Amino acid sequence: QVQLVESGGGLVQAGGSLRLSCAASGRTFSDTAMGWFRQAPGKEREFVAGLSWSDGSTYYADSVKGRFTISRDSAKNTVYLQMNSLKPEDTAVYYCAARGGSVVYYSERLYGYWGQGTQVTVSS
């Protein structure tokens, strides 16, 4: 079992920044892929960024490349999502997810563990 707890959401003006955190526990993370997903009202949940814990490789949706950065702190078993240059269209509930294995997939269906989500609201 894996437990994921997100934090760091909030309200920010367009152009601002936020950092989300996902504290993970419950398994050996050397063979785990982590992902950040988001779901806006009336839309499907979508992939935002992912990280392979084994080698630190990172992956991003085109819509956030150059603005968002996913990183990890292995000592704390925590994954971060630094979000800069935020836009109103980034408004969503952001979820942290994990799956066994080192491959990062873009499909939410391939992640078996999810956090409770944290709201990010970007005002124009």
Side-chain angles (χ1 to χ4, degrees), residues 55-84:
D55 63 5
S57 53
T58 58
Y59 307 84
Y60 297 94
D62 288 343
S63 59
V64 306
K65 279 181 183 177
R67 300 188 299 123
F68 290 11
T69 302
I70 187 171
S71 63
R72 63 178 174 177
D73 183 331
S74 297
K76 296 181 179 179
N77 280 349
T78 298
V79 174
Y80 303 98
L81 185 68
Q82 177 66 44
M83 305 185 294
N84 298 329

Side-chain angles (χ1 to χ4, degrees), residues 10-14 18 20 37-44 46 48 64 67-68 83 85-95 118-124:
L11 173 64
V12 64
Q13 288 188 332
L18 282 174
L20 306 183
F37 290 77
R38 66 187 181 186
Q39 187 168 23
K43 295 187 176 181
E44 294 185 351
E46 64 176 0
V48 175
V64 306
R67 300 188 299 123
F68 290 11
M83 305 185 294
S85 302
L86 283 161
K87 305 175 181 179
E89 52 263 44
D90 294 318
T91 295
V93 177
Y94 283 70
Y95 297 90
T118 185
Q119 177 71 47
V120 171
T121 302
V122 184
S123 63
S124 57

